[in-house]
């Protein structure tokens, strides 16, 4: 359970830093995402999920 809180905390830190340090960049990124077709957004999401799972596997496998 502690690892879940750690993961959520890290996500919130990274997301919060993006909004705090570069809000205009976040707005431009959202505009680009809106311009993409839904299928492309879905593919980007799936790539992110797979990348996250691979990183978790590496961290678990090598004891990071």
């Amino acid at each position: 359970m502690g690892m879940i809180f750690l993961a959520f905390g890290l996500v919130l830190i990274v997301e919060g830093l993006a909004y705090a340090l570069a809000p205009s960049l976040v707005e431009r990124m959202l505009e680009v995402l809106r311009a993409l077709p839904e299928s492309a957004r879905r593919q980007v999401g799936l790539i992110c999920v797979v990348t996250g799972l691979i990183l978790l596997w590496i961290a678990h496998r090598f004891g990071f």
Side-chain angles (χ1 to χ4, degrees), residues 31-52:
E31 289 172 7
V32 169
L33 283 173
R34 280 189 203 108
L36 287 175
E38 185 178 332
S39 61
R41 286 181 278 174
R42 191 176 310 260
Q43 286 177 339
V44 168
L46 289 173
I47 289 170
C48 288
V49 168
V50 170
T51 303

Side-chain angles (χ1 to χ4, degrees), residues 47-58:
I47 289 170
C48 288
V49 168
V50 170
T51 303
L53 288 172
I54 290 170
L55 289 172
L56 286 174
W57 178 80
I58 290 171

Side-chain angles (χ1 to χ4, degrees), residues 10 13 51:
L10 289 172
I13 289 170
T51 303

Side-chain angles (χ1 to χ4, degrees), residues 8-29:
F8 280 132
L10 289 172
V11 168
L12 290 172
I13 289 170
V14 171
E15 290 288 329
L17 281 173
Y19 285 104
L21 298 177
S24 60
L25 181 63
V26 172
E27 288 178 16
R28 286 194 310 241
M29 184 179 64

